């Protein structure tokens, strides 16, 4: 679902010192600089790091594990990945479709043939699809939107129209409305604040927003809160169309008729089947009435292409937008309201369908009751070659190789579960229902959850629980980048050094590791991490592939193999990264959780909270012609008489001492446990006990009560933002209380965050005492 593939400014091919064909280069200096950095970092770091003892293993165990991984790599075949990608993307295979079931059954047969104990678990979910879609400009001129993506002679897959899902937004409410258009930019909170300064009221109006900058579901959610009666979302060519480069099929960027489908379910409240929050959607599950569901949009929503958006935006009047709001269409953008007036009608079938999760188990030889779970969804918005199949075929290659190791006498020590989820696209439904259905068993047995969800080429990208940060840094050293021939971390460090944000550059300069990014939402790790408290990670490659096909008809085998990962080389690299993570978690004598890096990251998040409060307190200099939006200063239209800056409640001083004191205790215990683990060998009779305490440590960062106002989310360090959707909010209870100016709630949220840190400290104390006193 969440597929961000932000390309570097110059998209450099370091190995051949050449630019990708669809980019305009700025010269050779950056190429030479990046090559020099890669060579220097590789010379200094690589030779010694590859021989490092693996976290969780001793010296002999490390050598044995690396030898096993070398055999694992030999079983990976890019031609197989290519063949699977072509096979599964041949037909539209969305959740609830006949082809979707056929894909699930084919995957199950593959797992079974490789020796896995395989089953398909079914869930019965509400999944509306459109019966009627209509959008017309009715004043001051007439225009009827086509709402259709065209087939292309250069891409045979786009001619497969049977069972094709038309462009729509899942979990939009039905509606038939008329109203004047108001342009709301990306539909973020800061965009609405600017509109208020222009004196523009959305009440009774239809909002038109650009895709991007925030999750699509936030756009209608906020617009409805501001009084809008409907929302139209379009992809502007400045973001992923002809402004960026040649459009498909000549280039990778969005075709003029391309439309981004996607869910607008209010997933920051809860994901999964909207009728069964908190419980698996089995046949016998108790269901809500549709009228009682809180996660369906309050207003109708419809996505359109920039070709269909052009006549609508051309007919708008009102103030000219700030320069930073203007898109790439050949018009002057106006805010409205009107005189453009449209009629929008959407009507859905509101049917219940069956979701098919493929679950494949390989029983552990020594610790069968400890589970490592590895997942990727199989449903797509139509062909779904990039999203999700490019990640799924890497998972299949990994699973096949793990099975071959088992057949040859090297089974995993712990049980490995591979999952191919259904109905991820409409709202993380398959994984959420399975997690809710098996919640107690998963909390008891699961060591970690590893997720992929589509892939591309470029730089390794890993987000997840920071207790796994050191673990993944070792893996990044042991896998070679297929383009440059250097370790993944070497290429990534060079990229961060040149192109990274200041704080990222400082981290890699000061530390000997690369930080994992914290997880918000947007893929199937969400129910494991944020609902069940299972340590999780999300893995992909990105940065050099082109994302113009995202959720459109054009996400095809032809597009992917031309513009995203020709030859599936990075599919192999993904299988190598995820496969090492899976095997090391399965085989480690002591589970590879490290809490020193976790503490360092939490310390950063607390510093950010203090800086946030200080910035809000000091931000009193907004004038009548400038406004901050968090990333840039927008110059407003000087010809327009604007209202004064919106006066806001004064920001008080907050007492962060309870949180800092709890962090100090956690740091002390994390350092002590780190020292004990390095200096004391753990006897076999304590392994199961210590490992259970290690893998359940993430649970201590959750509370049964969950977050205020959205109790499904129980993790108090990582959560999706209520008004960002995919974007993470760290220490969310405190952060959102400050951001939302609910200052009376901040102290209580600080105490809650401190309590979860104290709870983790208590568990580490038990681990350290058990370990240090072991015979």
């Amino acid at each position: 679902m969440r597929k961000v593939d932000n390309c570097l400014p110059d998209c450099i091919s370091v190995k051949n010192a050449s630019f990708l064909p669809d980019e305009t280069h700025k010269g050779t200096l950056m190429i030479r600089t990046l090559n020099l950095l890669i060579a220097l970092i590789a010379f200094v770091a690589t030779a010694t790091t590859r021989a490092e003892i693996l976290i969780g293993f001793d010296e002999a165990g490390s050598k044995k594990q690396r030898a096993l991984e070398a055999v694992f790599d030999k079983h990976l075949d890019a031609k197989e990945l290519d063949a699977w990608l072509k096979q599964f993307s041949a037909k539209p295979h969305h959740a609830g479709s006949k082809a979707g079931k056929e894909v699930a059954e084919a995957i199950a047969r593959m797992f079974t043939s490789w020796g896995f104990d395989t089953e398909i678990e079914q869930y019965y979910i509400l999944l509306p699809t459109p019966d009627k879609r209509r959008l017309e400009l009715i004043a001051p001129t007439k225009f009827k939107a086509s709402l259709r993506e065209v087939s292309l002679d250069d891409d045979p897959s786009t001619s497969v129209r049977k069972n094709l899902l038309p462009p729509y937004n899942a979990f939009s409410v039905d509606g038939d409305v008329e109203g004047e258009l108001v342009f709301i930019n990306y539909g973020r909170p800061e965009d609405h604040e600017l509109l208020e300064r222009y004196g523009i009221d959305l009440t009774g109006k239809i909002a038109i927003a650009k895709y991007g900058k925030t999750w699509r579901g936030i756009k209608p959610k906020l617009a409805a809160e501001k009084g809008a009666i409907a929302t139209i979302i379009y992809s502007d060519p400045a973001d992923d169309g002809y402004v960026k480069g040649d459009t498909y099929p000549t280039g990778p960027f969005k075709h003029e008729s391309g439309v981004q489908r996607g869910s607008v379910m209010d997933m920051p409240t809860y994901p999964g089947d909207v009728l069964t929050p908190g419980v698996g959607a089995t046949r016998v599950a108790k269901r809500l009435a549709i009228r009682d569901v809180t996660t369906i949009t309050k207003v109708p929503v419809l996505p359109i292409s920039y070709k269909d958006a052009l006549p609508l935006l051309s007919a708008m009047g009102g103030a000219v937008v700030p320069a930073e709001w203007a898109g790439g269409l050949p018009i002057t953008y106006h805010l409205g309201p009107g005189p453009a007036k449209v009629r929008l009608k959407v009507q859905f079938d509101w049917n219940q369908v069956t979701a098919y999760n493929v679950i494949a188990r390989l029983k552990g030889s020594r610790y069968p009751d400890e589970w490592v779970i590895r997942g990727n969804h199989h449903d797509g918005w139509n062909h779904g070659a990039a999203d999700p199949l490019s990640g799924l075929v890497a998972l299949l290659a990994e699973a096949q190789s793990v099975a071959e190791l088992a057949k040859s006498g090297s089974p995993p020590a712990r049980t490995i579960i591979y999952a191919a989820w259904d109905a991820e696209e409409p709202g993380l439904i398959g994984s959420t229902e399975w997690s809710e259905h098996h919640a107690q068993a998963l909390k008891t047995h699961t060591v970690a959850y590893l997720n992929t969800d589509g892939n591309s080429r470029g730089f390794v990208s890993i987000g997840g629980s920071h207790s796994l940060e050191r673990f993944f840094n070792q893996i990044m050293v042991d896998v070679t980048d297929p383009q440059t021939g250097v370790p993944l971390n070497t290429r990534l460090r060079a990229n961060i050094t040149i192109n990274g944000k200041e704080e990222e550059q400082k981290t890699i300069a000061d530390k000997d590791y690369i930080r994992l990014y914290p997880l918000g939402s947007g893929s199937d790790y969400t129910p494991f991490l944020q609902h069940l408290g299972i340590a999780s990670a999300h893995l992909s490659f990105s940065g050099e592939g082109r994302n113009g096909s995202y959720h459109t008809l054009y996400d095809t085998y032809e597009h992917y193999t031309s513009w995203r990962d020709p030859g599936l080389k990075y599919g192999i690299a993904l299988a190598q990264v995820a496969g090492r993570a899976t095997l090391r978690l399965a085989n480690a004598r002591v589970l590879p959780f490290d809490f020193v890096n976790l503490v360092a990251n939490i310390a950063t998040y607390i510093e950010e909270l203090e800086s946030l409060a200080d910035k809000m307190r000091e931000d009193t200099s907004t004038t009548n012609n400038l406004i901050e939006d968090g990333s840039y200063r927008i110059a407003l239209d000087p010809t327009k008489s604007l209202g004064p800056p919106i006066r806001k409640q004064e920001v008080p001083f907050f007492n962060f001492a309870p949180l800092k004191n709890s962090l100090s205790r956690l740091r002390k215990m994390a350092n002590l446990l780190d020292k004990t683990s390095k200096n004391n060998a753990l006897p076999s009779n304590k392994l199961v006990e210590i490992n259970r305490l290690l893998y359940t440590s993430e649970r201590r960062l959750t509370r049964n009560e969950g977050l205020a106002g959205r109790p499904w989310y129980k993790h108090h360090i990582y959560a999706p933002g209520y008004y960002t959707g995919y974007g993470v909010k760290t220490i969310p209870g405190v952060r959102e209380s400050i951001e939302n100016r609910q200052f009376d709630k901040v102290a209580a949220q600080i105490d809650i965050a401190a309590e979860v840190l104290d709870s983790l400290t208590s568990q580490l104390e038990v681990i350290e005492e058990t370990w240090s006193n072991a015979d």
Side-chain angles (χ1 to χ4, degrees):
M1 179 173 287
R2 180 179 185 266
K3 321 297 182 295
V4 179
D5 197 356
N6 298 316
C7 187
L8 293 175
D10 294 285
C11 290
I12 301 167
S13 170
V14 182
K15 183 175 182 180
N16 300 311
S18 64
F19 291 87
L20 294 180
D22 57 319
E23 288 298 304
T24 303
H25 69 78
K26 299 176 181 177
T28 60
L29 179 60
M30 184 177 289
I31 301 172
R32 292 172 180 170
T33 303
L34 190 55
N35 276 328
L36 180 62
L37 273 171
I38 288 175
L40 180 61
I41 294 170
F43 177 78
V44 172
T46 304
T48 56
T49 313
R50 281 188 182 276
E52 184 180 3
I53 294 175
L54 297 177
I55 181 173
F57 296 81
D58 58 19
E59 184 174 358
S62 297
K63 291 179 180 178
K64 182 179 178 182
Q65 181 64 23
R66 284 198 170 100
L68 184 72
E69 291 165 3
V71 178
F72 168 87
D73 288 348
K74 292 179 180 179
H75 291 298
L76 303 176
D77 184 350
K79 291 182 180 179
E80 280 191 320
L81 273 70
D82 186 274
W84 294 334
L85 183 68
K86 190 172 186 178
Q87 172 190 348
F88 293 134
S89 66
K91 299 178 183 178
H93 59 284
H94 53 276
S97 68
K98 179 181 177 182
K101 180 183 179 184
E102 291 171 350
V103 167
E105 291 171 340
I107 294 168
R109 288 193 297 270
M110 293 169 71
F111 278 122
T112 300
S113 70
W114 296 333
F116 287 87
D117 180 9
T118 309
E119 62 182 329
I120 296 179
E121 293 202 45
Q122 300 180 20
Y123 295 94
Y124 307 93
I125 64 173
L126 183 69
L127 187 56
T129 53
D131 284 335
K132 296 180 181 178
R133 298 172 306 125
R134 184 176 181 179
L135 178 63
E136 293 179 287
L137 180 67
I138 57 178
T141 57
K142 304 289 186 181
F143 167 74
K144 184 176 181 180
S146 70
L147 306 180
R148 186 179 186 274
E149 296 165 303
V150 301
S151 299
L152 303 174
D153 292 339
D154 292 330
D155 186 342
S157 294
T158 62
S159 297
V160 181
R161 314 294 296 198
K162 187 177 181 181
N163 297 320
L164 197 68
L165 273 180
Y168 80 106
N169 286 129
F171 295 101
S172 161
V173 72
D174 291 342
D176 186 353
V177 296
E178 292 183 5
E180 292 181 314
L181 283 178
V182 172
F183 184 67
I184 64 170
N185 197 27
Y186 293 104
R188 301 164 296 179
E190 55 265 35
D191 296 325
H192 286 284
E193 183 174 328
L194 181 56
L195 289 172
E196 290 176 14
R197 291 205 54 212
Y198 270 100
I200 295 175
D201 184 358
L202 272 179
T203 302
K205 307 298 191 297
I206 294 178
I208 183 166
K210 294 185 285 188
Y211 263 118
K213 304 298 184 184
T214 190
W215 173 60
R216 75 184 72 81
I218 297 300
K219 302 171 193 291
K221 178 178 179 176
L222 266 173
E225 290 180 4
K226 300 296 183 180
I229 58 173
T231 303
I232 300 165
I233 313 176
Y234 81 100
S235 298
D236 196 279
D239 293 314
D240 61 359
Y242 56 74
V243 174
K244 291 293 187 181
D246 288 329
T247 59
Y248 195 60
T250 304
F253 292 101
K254 187 172 268 103
H255 188 272
E256 65 176 359
S257 70
V259 184
Q260 182 190 140
R261 296 152 181 80
S263 178
V264 289
M265 178 198 296
D266 190 10
M267 286 185 284
T269 299
Y270 65 86
D273 177 46
V274 298
L275 301 183
T276 58
V279 298
T282 61
R283 285 194 185 277
V284 298
K286 185 177 180 180
R287 287 170 165 78
L288 299 175
I290 292 178
R291 64 178 178 275
D292 296 327
V293 172
T294 60
T295 53
I296 297 171
T297 62
K298 303 299 186 289
V299 297
V301 190
L302 186 66
I304 64 174
S305 66
Y306 59 78
K307 181 179 180 180
D308 277 342
L310 179 58
L312 307 183
L313 295 168
S314 298
M316 292 183 66
V320 174
V321 304
E324 292 82 357
W325 280 35
L329 292 169
I331 59 170
T332 300
Y333 287 69
H334 293 86
L335 293 174
K341 186 176 183 180
V342 300
R343 179 186 179 189
L344 181 152
K345 181 175 183 177
V346 289
Q347 184 175 314
F348 298 89
D349 57 23
W350 299 100
N351 287 338
Q352 189 179 91
V353 303
T354 304
Y356 301 93
N357 290 336
V358 184
I359 309 296
R361 292 176 172 82
L362 191 62
K363 188 176 181 180
S365 60
R366 279 180 286 168
Y367 312 111
D369 291 333
E370 297 176 10
W371 304 344
V372 179
I373 305 179
R374 170 78 174 88
N376 196 110
H377 71 99
H378 66 76
D379 67 301
W381 291 109
N382 294 319
H383 299 284
D387 176 14
L389 296 177
S390 61
L392 180 67
V393 296
L395 178 147
L396 293 173
E398 172 194 333
Q400 183 182 33
S401 185
V402 168
E404 289 296 327
L405 294 178
K407 290 176 184 177
S408 63
S410 299
R414 295 179 176 86
T415 294
I416 298 176
I417 300 175
Y418 285 97
W421 309 114
D422 199 359
E424 187 269 1
E425 293 295 1
L428 318 182
I429 299 177
S431 59
T432 297
E433 298 317 303
W434 191 77
S435 299
E436 291 173 341
H437 186 199
H438 301 287
Q440 191 53 55
L442 291 170
K443 286 191 285 188
T444 300
H445 298 289
T446 307
V447 167
Y449 175 73
L450 305 176
N451 192 68
T452 51
D453 186 356
N455 196 43
S456 190
R457 68 173 181 258
F459 303 89
V460 67
S461 175
I462 306 177
S465 302
H466 289 107
S467 55
L468 294 171
E469 193 162 77
R470 182 182 164 204
F471 170 72
F472 276 109
N473 270 261
Q474 286 190 325
I475 290 173
M476 285 189 276
V477 172
D478 282 358
V479 177
T480 299
D481 178 75
Q483 180 171 259
T484 62
V486 300
L488 297 179
N489 77 320
T490 301
R491 190 178 188 214
L492 183 57
R493 288 175 70 91
N495 177 46
I496 293 172
T497 301
I498 290 182
N499 298 295
K501 296 178 181 178
E502 183 178 350
E503 58 268 26
E504 295 173 327
Q505 294 173 340
K506 187 177 187 302
T507 297
I508 65 166
D510 295 346
K511 308 290 184 181
D512 61 352
Y513 60 85
I514 295 170
R515 289 182 63 185
L516 303 188
Y517 65 84
L519 293 175
S521 188
S523 196
D524 291 307
Y525 54 78
T526 291
F528 294 93
L529 176 63
Q530 290 145 348
H531 187 62
L532 300 181
I534 293 168
S536 301
H538 183 65
L539 321 172
S540 67
F541 284 84
S542 63
E544 290 188 339
R546 294 318 192 189
N547 216 11
S549 67
Y550 179 56
H551 285 192
T552 71
L553 170 64
Y554 310 109
D555 184 6
T556 61
Y557 172 82
E558 290 81 1
H559 186 286
Y560 186 83
T561 54
S562 295
W563 303 107
R564 301 296 293 276
D565 185 16
L568 280 296
K569 295 178 180 178
Y570 280 94
I572 294 294
L574 181 60
Q576 290 175 319
V577 173
R580 277 165 174 74
T582 301
L583 287 169
R584 291 181 189 184
L585 284 164
N587 292 335
R589 185 172 186 271
V590 181
L591 286 168
F593 292 97
D594 170 75
F595 302 97
V596 174
N597 283 25
L598 172 65
V599 169
N601 281 281
I602 293 176
T604 297
Y605 302 146
I606 295 174
E607 291 171 2
E608 290 173 355
L609 292 175
E610 293 184 292
S611 297
L612 170 65
D614 289 342
K615 184 177 184 301
M616 290 174 62
R617 192 176 300 112
E618 296 167 1
D619 190 15
T620 58
S621 60
T622 302
T623 67
N624 218 31
N625 65 348
L626 291 173
I627 188 168
E628 298 277 359
D629 84 333
S631 60
Y632 53 77
R633 291 173 69 86
I634 299 177
L636 304 182
D637 184 350
T639 67
K640 175 73 175 176
S641 177
L642 300 175
I646 300 169
R647 298 190 63 84
K648 297 177 179 177
Q649 178 186 354
E650 184 176 345
V651 182
F653 288 89
F654 304 113
N655 179 19
F656 290 100
L659 193 50
K660 289 183 171 181
N661 288 335
S662 293
L663 180 68
S664 179
R665 291 189 289 270
L666 180 59
R667 178 183 288 112
K668 180 179 179 180
M669 186 49 56
N671 290 334
L672 181 59
L673 177 57
D674 185 59
K675 182 178 179 180
T676 299
S677 66
K678 290 176 179 176
N679 297 333
N680 295 59
L682 187 62
S684 298
N685 67 337
K686 294 293 183 179
L687 274 176
V688 172
E689 180 182 359
I690 291 292
N691 280 329
R692 180 185 60 79
L693 289 167
L694 285 168
Y695 74 71
T696 59
S697 61
E698 192 86 20
R699 322 285 197 267
R700 293 300 189 104
L701 299 175
T702 68
R703 298 174 77 242
N704 289 335
E705 297 86 347
L707 297 178
R710 44 186 183 138
W712 188 93
Y713 287 95
K714 301 187 183 302
H715 209 294
H716 280 259
I717 303 299
Y718 319 112
Y722 190 68
Y723 286 113
T724 58
Y726 289 167
V728 67
K729 296 294 181 181
T730 52
I731 317 184
V734 180
R735 186 178 296 273
E736 294 195 315
S737 293
I738 297 173
E739 289 177 340
N740 298 336
R741 311 186 79 85
Q742 297 173 324
F743 301 138
D744 58 328
K745 298 180 180 180
V746 173
Q749 290 299 324
I750 288 174
D751 289 342
I752 289 172
E755 287 173 12
V756 300
L757 296 188
D758 288 340
S759 179
L760 178 58
T761 300
S762 298
Q763 183 134 331
L764 298 193
E765 287 174 348
V766 175
I767 297 173
E768 198 283 328
E769 182 178 1
T770 304
W771 200 320
S772 61
N773 293 331
D775 296 326

